[in-house]
Amino acid sequence: MIRKMAFAAMFLAGQGTAMAASETCLRRGNVDQQATAAWKEMVRQAQPEFMKGIAGVWHAEIHAPMTGQTDSQYQIFQADGQWEYRSQVCANATFCSDFSGHGLFAGRMLDDSQYTLMLMVSDLNRDRQCSGGTGRVIDSKTLQDSTGTVWRKVR
């Protein structure tokens, strides 16, 4: 059985959405102009009601049949735009690796059920790398991202 990670939803004191608009996206240590422009636009269009609605701890089990690995991942969103992830990738019940990172997010609804958001991620391999995605709201405690992964709100 896969070990579940226990953690507190703690964030570094830091930047809310007011400061997020001044952030710069990087790719391999260089300013990513296109991603930075998209980030600033997403922050400008971010909907406070969406940000509040997604706030909480979300969990998904992501299976990779080709490698036999399972990623038990938690994403933590705060209404002010702070974001964190915790991930435990297991090849089997006895060999697991832990990963974590933090950053910022901004998002909005596209229609009644579809959303879009961007993340600015910093971890051991990335420094302020920006990426975006879409998904759908199934209900107040269930999201499905564009890869088909179902996320459940656990707190």
Side-chain angles (χ1 to χ4, degrees), residues 24-49:
T24 303
C25 299
L26 302 177
R27 184 167 305 279
R28 292 185 288 282
N30 298 310
V31 174
D32 185 334
Q33 297 292 345
Q34 186 175 359
T36 297
W39 172 255
K40 289 181 179 191
E41 182 63 18
M42 180 62 77
V43 169
R44 188 184 69 72
Q45 294 180 4
Q47 297 169 334
E49 60 276 8

Side-chain angles (χ1 to χ4, degrees), residues 8-101:
M10 298 181 347
F11 289 85
L12 299 173
Q15 307 152 334
T17 54
M19 292 181 66
S22 66
E23 291 292 327
T24 303
C25 299
L26 302 177
R27 184 167 305 279
R28 292 185 288 282
N30 298 310
V31 174
D32 185 334
Q33 297 292 345
Q34 186 175 359
T36 297
W39 172 255
K40 289 181 179 191
E41 182 63 18
M42 180 62 77
V43 169
R44 188 184 69 72
Q45 294 180 4
Q47 297 169 334
E49 60 276 8
F50 174 78
M51 306 282 280
K52 287 178 189 172
I54 200 172
V57 180
W58 297 82
H59 177 256
E61 294 278 332
I62 305 164
H63 302 282
M66 296 293 286
T67 63
Q69 294 177 317
T70 299
D71 181 0
S72 178
Q73 191 171 122
Y74 291 87
Q75 293 197 28
I76 308 160
F77 296 88
Q78 283 193 355
D80 68 356
Q82 294 182 71
W83 171 83
E84 181 178 343
Y85 80 91
R86 303 271 186 218
S87 176
Q88 184 176 65
V89 179
C90 297
N92 57 48
T94 60
F95 181 74
C96 298
S97 298
D98 295 331
F99 302 93
S100 64

